[in-house]
Amino acid sequence: MTDSFRFDGTPVAFGPGASIAAALTAAGHRHLRDTAKGAARGMFCGMGVCQDCLVTVDGVPNQRACMTAAVAGQKVERQAVLVPLETAQAKPATAPARVIAPDVLILGGGAGGLSAAIAARKAGASVVVLDERKVPGGQYFKQAATGAPLDAQQAEGAALLHAARASGAEIVGGVEVWGAFDGLLFLAEWQGTALVARPKTVIVATGAYERPVMVPGWTLPGVMTTGAAQTLWRSYRVLPGQRVAVCGSGPLNLQVALELARGGAEVALVAEAAGSPFGQIGAALRLALAGPSLAAKGLAMRAGLWRRGVAVRHRTRLIRIEPDGDALCATFRGAAGEQSLTVDALCMNAGFEPQNEALRLLGAAMEYDAEVGHLRCRRDAGMRTTVPGLYAVGDCAGLGGAPAAMAEGRIAGCAAAAEAGQGDGYDTFADQRVLARHRRFQHALWKLHDIRPAALEEIPGDTLLCRCEEVPLSEARAALTPEIGHAGSLKRATRIGMGRCQGRYCGAASARLVAEARGTAIDAFSLFAPRVPMKPVSIAVILAAQEALDAGA
Amino acid sequence: MPAPDVLVIGGGITGTMAALHLAEAGARVGLVDAGLNAGSSANAGSLHVQMQSRFMRLYPDQVPNVEAALPFYRAAAEEWGRLDALYGPFELSRHGGLMLAEDARQLDFLASKAKREERMGLSVEILDRTALDRIAPWLGPQIVGAELCRDEGKLNPLVANLRLAARLAALGVVQIRDRIETLEPDASGVTAIGRAARHRADRVVVAAAWAAGDLVRALGLALPTRAEPLHMNITEPGAAQIRHLIQHAERSITLKQFGSGQIVIGGGWPAEDRGPDRMPGVLAESLLGNVALAARLVPQIGGLRVIRTWAGMNTTMDGASAIGALPDTSRVILAVPGDAGYTLGPLVGRIAAALVSGAVPVEDAARFSPARFAA
């Protein structure tokens, strides 16, 4: 702890590489913003998606604390609900736009994207990888901001990142891709200016974000996704709170609970929606057969939690969260009835939503997978989508896990390079076999958890469906007149999905709400229509991109 | 269900208001819409009254018709005021519109335009920079003056559409989802043949905007409706400071601030027409060009982020509206605004409803007669 910035005048110390959100969390500041309706908000997704941790940094409003690096002497402020326009003056772009035209452009520097980069470079293609984070690696390999790897998983990620850099691929961090247009034109924000890409081929490897457990109180400061808590710990060595609980379903919850416990947090409870794997011997056995080493890892995780006395309660769900002074009172319901716990932080993950915005914008065909409650991108064995030159790998194409994403990346990298005229798309037989095995494992794995979308009738009416516009489920239900035949009409009637997160949390729930009311099935067109920008983009960056395109980029 | 007295084709603002007035007059009304949501439901809520420079540049041949219709535009803005009082609030305000000039030549053009508009009864005034700074102290330094048209304003179309739809439901108007492709009038009524079903009614009001031309062609009318897919952007919210509707003397732009504090930027940049069965698509050049222009005119929005863009449809014809029965078929009544359909829609719908019910229209309807397009 050497440096410090000021948060509303109070000094906040931070370690090297920390994000503003990590530094504020470490200092106990969880309440970062107030909404139009006067509700307190803090960091939720920890990965730049939810837009709830917006603060004013050195006079520039609407900066995501989770994605902005802490800098010594910085002035960080809670901002007015409506920022006065004169304080929001355009900061001119810091430099002219950068224009690139690689053989293979890769969106996302995680497990899939980095593997694709190495394969495409090996075939001789020029490769640029764009990643949102300053330090690429993705959500699975989650790299430390500074210092040595924490464990084998981070070390494996560091090695992959090193191999990708050594392959000659250019890996650009801190890039927010906000525009995808027909003819493969991509517009991005990079270091305060624009980046324009006109690649020959593109591999979308944008991963997924986390599905929340929507209950009353899920927007309170201190409530965050499990991945957000993991980023705090793995990337910045900050605990989300001293006493925490974890809820939802899936192996990430178990892993993060163990990591936080090892890091010194008191993990009061892990609430898992599914039954115990020891009560589902058949499914557990299939998992062990499909991936003995990964299954053993899972078992070791449970043993680790047990040794630390962390209670993992199955068939247990979060039902509400209330503020309790500076802490949270979380109430769970399980076989033994209801139980309330007071915690500093509550972590939630009830599955994943693919970050498929670029794929949908470009018109790639999708199918709805009701089992996991999200879209899967239609692809051939070479990871080609239905759009020429467009490939998709990893969780952005539908939940599949990091090991599968890596195999898909190697296959797509090779195929995209060949399409761009580099290499011959060599035999990917071995990778296809690896991929088939990982897919079998994933299939068995999710049988042991419960990530089906929550039944809407079980959600209390006062639960906020739309975080940004603060629309409760009851209001959405009341708006469901017979004329509302699509989530888009519900959006126009209620403002659900019109806020800064662009419908990322309420979109799937809205589509299900309309489908249930109309008695129709959800398909690839039931969700909100995809829109540019994929992430809010500053007008200064638009100006820089316009100048570049005017100049013939 | 018995066949309705009147079937209104097109559930945008024009058809909605025609149906509303007919139902209030006691008719049994059906409202059929294809549900593609690209016209009124994609509108950005400008109440246009003064001649739009964009339109004058693109369609010089239609300017005489638009100029002659200026009192009609003003009356249409007033009609919106009445609706706001009756069924609102729609976040409607009429603080006027500012058309900006960046040099002396543009200001001269606005001055001569203002004279023509004043002759037609509009409340307009040319403001120099000093006068502008008193009412709009957030303009770029290059702005030398502007034309203020006090008749102009803005509203939130999402709120207006929702409240008017609720009124329709309360009146018992039956809403049908179908795309009507053919109209077959006969001695006792009209059959409207849709993709999903055949619909029978005593009379039909065609309020189908750009799709109206195709619908009435077989009935002997060469209505030159043209779909004009247009681009729009919206920012995250800022403090409410921009009261006027902002336009430019030469370039395509509208800029206004909604009640939410969000800035809506549009004004006629093209979008991609993807045919009648798909929403129009967003073009990169329009997004960049439109937002960049807005930021140059009003630099204070530059620190906000754009959070969404979309495309909607405007409809142009010959600059004048087409309201009234077809020359050969009195059972089919047209209700198509000449331009700026969301502004004109309520008044056009009201006149069409009056013609159907045989009431005395609020405006002299003869000058809107579709007979001018008889083949």
Side-chain angles (χ1 to χ4, degrees):
Chain A
M1 294 281 171
T2 47
D3 291 323
S4 77
F5 61 78
R6 283 183 175 271
F7 178 56
D8 279 350
T10 310
V12 174
F14 63 90
S19 68
I20 289 176
L24 290 173
T25 304
H29 298 289
R30 293 198 175 79
H31 170 196
L32 305 186
R33 192 173 78 85
D34 291 300
T35 66
K37 293 185 181 168
R41 292 288 166 86
M43 183 195 68
F44 177 68
C45 74
M47 58 181 287
V49 167
C50 77
Q51 306 278 333
D52 248 338
C53 64
L54 297 183
V55 288
T56 293
V57 181
D58 291 333
V60 182
N62 303 322
Q63 306 296 302
R64 293 167 299 179
C66 72
M67 299 295 280
T68 309
V71 173
Q74 224 167 18
K75 196 173 144 205
V76 179
E77 296 163 287
R78 281 197 190 94
Q79 61 187 41
V81 171
L82 295 174
V83 177
L85 295 187
E86 51 276 13
T87 65
Q89 287 271 14
K91 295 273 179 300
T94 49
R98 183 177 168 203
V99 182
I100 56 172
D103 291 333
V104 181
L105 176 74
I106 300 173
L107 306 185
L114 294 175
S115 303
I118 295 166
R121 275 299 300 145
K122 205 161 140 192
S126 60
V127 176
V128 178
V129 181
L130 304 179
D131 193 76
E132 250 177 336
R133 289 262 173 199
K134 276 219 163 43
V135 183
Q139 296 298 329
Y140 177 74
F141 287 130
K142 211 156 266 180
Q143 293 298 288
T146 54
L150 184 71
D151 54 20
Q153 190 171 332
Q154 242 179 20
E156 192 190 344
L160 183 68
L161 188 54
H162 178 79
R165 288 211 169 100
S167 76
E170 187 187 357
I171 301 169
V172 192
V175 180
E176 188 82 78
V177 179
W178 60 266
F181 299 91
D182 291 349
L184 300 186
L185 165 68
F186 296 87
L187 300 176
E189 175 166 6
W190 174 60
Q191 297 185 349
T193 187
L195 189 147
V196 177
R198 291 189 185 278
K200 282 191 191 145
T201 63
V202 62
I203 300 173
V204 179
T206 41
Y209 62 101
E210 292 165 275
R211 183 182 296 155
V213 182
M214 282 188 184
V215 295
W218 73 287
T219 55
L220 288 167
V223 179
M224 66 187 77
T225 64
T226 303
Q230 191 188 34
T231 301
L232 285 176
W233 177 244
R234 290 181 78 82
S235 295
Y236 308 117
R237 299 292 187 275
V238 167
L239 290 171
Q242 193 47 47
R243 186 173 152 88
V244 299
V246 183
C247 66
S249 189
L252 181 67
N253 286 338
L254 295 170
Q255 180 184 342
V256 174
L258 182 58
E259 286 169 4
L260 297 178
R262 280 185 185 144
E266 179 196 347
V267 180
L269 177 70
V270 179
E272 161 66 50
S276 163
F278 307 110
Q280 310 171 63
I281 296 299
L285 214 60
R286 273 192 291 281
L287 180 80
L289 286 172
S293 65
L294 286 169
K297 215 169 132 188
L299 215 58
M301 230 145 64
R302 284 178 185 270
L305 287 168
W306 182 80
R307 269 199 307 277
R308 282 181 172 73
V310 174
V312 179
R313 216 152 280 151
H314 291 90
R315 295 191 206 287
T316 302
R317 291 175 188 273
L318 176 72
I319 54 172
R320 68 175 172 273
I321 314 162
E322 290 144 318
D324 181 358
D326 282 342
L328 300 164
C329 174
T331 304
F332 301 86
R333 186 183 292 149
E338 288 192 8
Q339 177 191 12
S340 292
L341 293 173
T342 300
V343 291
D344 301 318
L346 181 70
C347 310
M348 48 172 61
N349 176 301
F352 296 88
E353 302 287 354
Q355 303 211 82
N356 53 18
E357 295 83 10
L359 297 168
R360 293 184 71 213
L361 269 170
L362 294 170
M366 303 267 169
E367 273 103 32
Y368 182 71
D369 179 344
E371 284 278 297
V372 291
H374 65 226
L375 296 179
R376 288 194 184 276
C377 182
R378 195 185 302 163
R379 296 171 295 171
D380 69 6
M383 305 301 139
R384 294 171 195 88
T385 70
T386 53
V387 175
L390 179 66
Y391 296 70
V393 304
D395 285 0
C396 71
L399 186 56
M406 290 169 73
E408 290 180 3
R410 291 191 293 269
I411 295 165
C414 188
E419 185 177 340
Q422 301 294 334
D424 54 4
Y426 69 83
D427 189 3
T428 56
F429 180 75
D431 284 324
Q432 295 286 1
R433 227 173 42 181
V434 169
L435 177 58
R437 199 179 71 232
H438 286 308
R439 284 181 175 167
R440 272 199 307 279
F441 175 79
Q442 280 284 318
H443 193 75
L445 171 67
W446 292 109
K447 286 265 183 281
L448 288 172
H449 295 281
D450 185 1
I451 52 164
R452 284 167 308 166
L456 290 163
E457 70 268 13
E458 285 170 16
I459 301 178
D462 58 342
T463 308
L464 289 185
L465 199 58
C466 172
R467 291 177 71 91
C468 303
E469 296 291 324
E470 302 176 80
V471 185
L473 179 61
S474 56
E475 202 177 314
R477 280 196 193 286
L480 278 173
T481 59
E483 287 74 44
I484 304 284
H486 189 270
S489 331
L490 187 64
K491 177 181 184 175
R492 285 185 288 273
T494 60
R495 298 190 60 84
I496 280 179
M498 287 200 170
R500 290 181 171 110
C501 94
Q502 306 169 308
R504 279 175 170 83
Y505 294 101
C506 60
S510 298
R512 291 209 313 282
L513 195 61
V514 173
E516 278 179 21
R518 297 287 87 85
T520 52
I522 297 182
D523 62 26
F525 302 99
S526 301
L527 298 166
F528 297 142
R531 299 274 189 229
V532 174
M534 296 184 270
K535 290 278 177 72
V537 56
S538 84
I539 287 178
V541 168
I542 290 179
L543 282 164
Q546 193 247 354
E547 277 163 20
L549 256 64
D550 264 7
Chain B
M1 189 195 74
D5 301 322
V6 188
L7 181 70
V8 178
I9 300 172
I13 190 62
T14 310
T16 293
M17 290 314 301
L20 191 149
H21 289 300
L22 285 164
E24 281 187 338
R28 279 178 305 142
V29 184
L31 180 65
V32 60
D33 188 81
L36 250 181
N37 300 319
S40 291
S41 58
N43 186 268
S46 300
L47 287 181
H48 286 292
V49 176
Q50 64 179 312
M51 288 189 280
Q52 294 179 66
S53 48
R54 171 190 91 88
F55 192 91
M56 298 172 83
R57 189 181 69 246
L58 287 176
Y59 311 107
D61 51 317
Q62 300 181 27
V63 169
N65 277 345
V66 170
E67 192 162 359
L70 283 174
F72 188 61
Y73 278 82
R74 200 193 55 200
E78 275 160 18
E79 177 75 4
W80 264 115
R82 267 194 297 280
L83 293 183
D84 185 56
L86 277 172
Y87 309 112
F90 305 147
E91 296 177 18
L92 182 144
S93 68
R94 288 177 70 195
H95 296 296
L98 289 172
M99 195 171 280
L100 308 177
E102 292 185 274
D103 57 37
R105 192 180 49 78
Q106 290 175 359
L107 198 57
D108 285 347
F109 162 77
L110 290 179
S112 66
K113 184 170 91 79
K115 277 207 185 76
R116 287 155 68 182
E117 288 165 340
E118 198 165 21
R119 274 199 294 276
M120 299 304 290
L122 267 49
S123 175
V124 292
E125 187 184 342
I126 295 295
L127 305 177
D128 63 17
R129 181 66 202 229
T130 315
L132 263 181
D133 279 339
R134 277 197 291 275
I135 61 167
W138 27 256
L139 292 168
Q142 79 282 20
I143 309 295
V144 296
E147 177 183 357
L148 167 68
C149 175
R150 293 190 189 82
D151 306 294
E152 291 195 311
K154 60 187 176 185
L155 64 113
N156 185 333
L158 293 171
V159 177
N161 294 344
L162 200 64
R163 287 179 178 265
L164 294 171
R167 178 69 187 147
L168 280 190
L171 286 166
V173 171
V174 179
Q175 306 208 36
I176 307 156
R177 180 63 45 90
D178 199 356
R179 178 183 285 282
I180 305 300
E181 292 181 321
T182 313
L183 294 176
E184 289 182 352
D186 54 49
S188 63
V190 185
T191 305
I193 303 167
R195 284 187 187 171
R198 297 163 74 90
H199 313 270
R200 184 76 183 161
D202 190 34
R203 274 180 291 180
V204 161
V205 173
V206 176
W210 67 92
D214 282 346
L215 265 180
V216 299
R217 187 169 303 116
L219 302 177
L221 203 72
L223 192 70
T225 52
R226 188 160 50 156
E228 203 183 25
L230 299 181
H231 177 91
M232 276 153 284
N233 318 272
I234 191 162
T235 69
E236 61 193 335
Q241 284 166 271
I242 301 175
R243 301 191 327 155
H244 299 85
L245 168 65
I246 306 300
Q247 298 185 77
H248 190 272
E250 257 179 20
R251 307 201 56 193
S252 293
I253 189 154
T254 58
L255 182 154
K256 60 187 154 311
Q257 193 169 22
F258 275 165
S260 62
Q262 293 174 284
I263 314 281
V264 185
I265 302 162
W269 288 69
E272 182 194 4
D273 194 346
R274 291 170 167 174
D277 293 322
R278 286 180 69 197
M279 294 280 286
V282 162
L283 299 171
E285 303 74 44
S286 285
L287 189 166
L288 298 174
N290 196 359
V291 172
L293 175 59
R296 279 194 275 268
L297 300 179
V298 186
Q300 292 205 358
I301 66 166
L304 299 174
R305 297 174 301 169
V306 172
I307 62 169
R308 193 164 63 252
T309 65
W310 71 98
M313 275 310 186
N314 185 44
T315 300
T316 64
M317 274 188 313
D318 64 346
S321 302
I323 319 168
L326 302 201
D328 299 339
T329 320
S330 63
R331 289 182 182 278
V332 178
I333 293 91
L334 267 186
V336 184
D339 182 46
Y342 202 78
T343 299
L344 297 183
L347 191 51
V348 169
R350 186 170 164 202
I351 296 168
L355 290 172
V356 172
S357 12
V360 181
V362 283
E363 292 269 332
D364 172 18
R367 59 201 174 90
F368 305 118
S369 170
R372 67 184 190 274
F373 301 117

